Amino acid sequence: MKIVQKYGGSSLADEECLRRVAARIQRDAQDGNVLVVVSAQGKTTDALTEKYRQVSSEFPSRESDALLVCGELASSALLAATLRSIGVDAVSLHGGQVPILADGPFGNAVIQRINTKKIRKAWRRGQVVVVPGFQGVDREGSFMTLGRGGSDTSAVALAAALRADRCMIFTDVDGVYSVDPRRFPEAVRFPSVNTATMVSLAENGAKVLHPKAAMLALEHDVPLEILTSFADREGTMVSLRSPERIGITVKPVSEEISAVTVIFDLPPNGKTLFLLTEAMSYFDGIPYYTGSALQVTLPTQHADDLIRAFHGILYPVE
Ligand code: ASP
Ligand code: MG
């Protein structure tokens, strides 16, 4: 078994989190080879961004990337040390050491190539490898960042390069839901979901997975599991063989306008569409229907009510 695990900033926020994550890795490392991708702890990236803004409004992008990667570098060193403290042989390898080669503009670079030799060598020695997410290096060896939220992309790219059996994305929710469970308690959890549906959900505002990561998983057929690091529970399996689902997302369009999207991979039946259209008529929004999505652009203050109305039609409570 080859497993890639990615832990987001909230899963690594403090010592207690680090120890919880290390214990989980210790257990999973008994079943095979583990590569861990880490984000910066908590709100570290925001704090670092604030620091360079204070220094200069024209902070050179090469230097801002060199600063921003520090959050993930710190996480990887801390997690590798925590693992060693509980007897797990672990080593951290940053983007330049792997190496993860990237190209494109600083601040929004794209991974071009990953050399997996050092990772596989460490695996042969029985080590857990910890790689900071969100970073790569250019041909000169300068650090480049992949855009905010880029650690998901690092994890899926590494899983694809290593042909991992599974890429587990640990986050603060325990899977993919019909609507954001942090804001709508009526949300229904999906045990599994098709990667194509996941791409649409992510692109239209679902926060569980970065859209670029979802797209990479689709292109390279990487099986994902989205789960929480805060409880010992199975998550949502995301794969090309999983069923398509209906989900509702919301995304800001401007300061006062939001786009609410219903993603159907299967075209809805006439009755559902009629009910959705009727619900929509109570709102002052502009609808747009493509056959696989219904999108309504409306004032943000009404978005939650429309989402609740749509959700009640698509997932009626018995
Ligand atoms: N730390 C980076 C960010 O906050 C990357 C990530 O968390 O994925 O955007
Ligand atoms: Mg983050």
Side-chain angles (χ1 to χ4, degrees):
M1 270 286 256
K2 290 181 279 187
I3 304 170
V4 171
Q5 298 189 339
K6 182 256 169 179
Y7 293 93
S10 57
S11 301
L12 301 165
D14 54 24
E15 292 77 19
E16 197 189 326
C17 289
L18 282 166
R19 272 194 286 273
R20 188 184 306 119
V21 164
R24 163 93 210 202
I25 296 167
Q26 181 173 41
R27 209 177 68 204
D28 292 343
Q30 288 165 2
D31 303 330
N33 297 314
V34 180
L35 174 108
V36 185
V37 176
V38 289
S39 282
Q41 289 183 292
K43 300 255 173 276
T44 305
T45 309
D46 293 336
L48 291 172
T49 305
E50 193 44 44
K51 263 195 206 305
Y52 76 68
R53 285 215 181 105
Q54 281 165 5
V55 173
S56 155
S57 57
E58 286 151 55
F59 207 92
S61 53
R62 180 176 174 278
E63 306 309 336
S64 70
D65 269 9
L67 177 63
L68 290 187
V69 295
C70 294
E72 271 71 13
L73 288 174
S75 285
S76 63
L78 285 167
L79 183 60
T82 310
L83 282 162
R84 293 183 84 101
S85 77
I86 57 165
V88 179
D89 190 4
V91 62
S92 66
L93 291 177
H94 63 61
Q97 291 171 320
V98 172
I100 298 172
L101 294 172
D103 199 6
F106 284 105
N108 199 18
V110 177
I111 295 177
Q112 296 294 335
R113 206 157 52 81
I114 299 176
N115 188 333
T116 58
K117 220 159 101 190
K118 278 196 198 125
I119 296 169
R120 284 183 285 121
K121 205 163 157 195
W123 274 354
R124 279 197 294 277
R125 285 195 296 261
Q127 291 179 308
V128 167
V129 181
V130 186
V131 174
F134 177 55
Q135 60 177 253
V137 289
D138 68 7
R139 266 178 289 166
E140 264 89 62
S142 305
F143 277 121
M144 307 190 95
T145 64
L146 308 178
R148 294 303 305 264
S151 296
D152 286 352
T153 313
S154 307
V156 179
L158 280 156
L162 290 160
R163 295 185 206 293
D165 297 283
R166 188 180 295 188
C167 179
M168 303 165 86
I169 308 279
F170 288 87
T171 178
D172 54 350
V173 286
D174 60 353
V176 183
Y177 281 75
S178 53
V179 66
D180 188 350
R182 289 168 282 220
R183 284 172 59 191
F184 302 92
E186 64 270 45
V188 175
R189 203 176 82 88
F190 301 147
S192 61
V193 62
N194 192 279
T195 318
T197 312
M198 191 65 240
V199 169
S200 308
L201 290 170
E203 283 178 343
N204 287 289
K207 298 266 163 48
V208 277
L209 185 68
H210 195 283
K212 281 189 201 160
M215 203 58 211
L216 263 189
L218 183 71
E219 279 167 18
H220 296 276
D221 191 6
V222 178
L224 308 176
E225 182 179 359
I226 312 243
L227 68 175
T228 174
S229 64
F230 295 97
D232 200 1
R233 227 179 282 148
E234 270 183 23
T236 298
M237 298 302 307
V238 184
S239 79
L240 295 175
R241 282 151 293 281
S242 299
E244 290 163 337
R245 309 268 182 193
I246 301 177
I248 307 174
T249 57
V250 59
K251 195 175 168 175
V253 175
S254 67
E255 246 168 58
E256 284 120 38
I257 304 290
S258 291
V260 171
T261 311
V262 182
I263 287 131
F264 326 88
D265 271 298
L266 304 168
N269 64 35
K271 185 171 162 238
T272 310
L273 205 54
F274 172 77
L275 290 171
L276 293 174
T277 313
E278 195 179 68
M280 218 156 59
S281 67
Y282 293 101
F283 295 89
D284 197 11
I286 304 161
Y288 175 71
Y289 178 59
T290 63
S292 63
L294 172 71
Q295 189 167 75
V296 186
T297 314
L298 80 173
T300 302
Q301 78 224 62
H302 302 309
D304 283 11
D305 289 334
L306 178 65
I307 291 171
R308 275 188 212 102
F310 279 173
H311 199 272
I313 293 161
L314 297 165
Y315 293 94
V317 199
E318 278 114 56

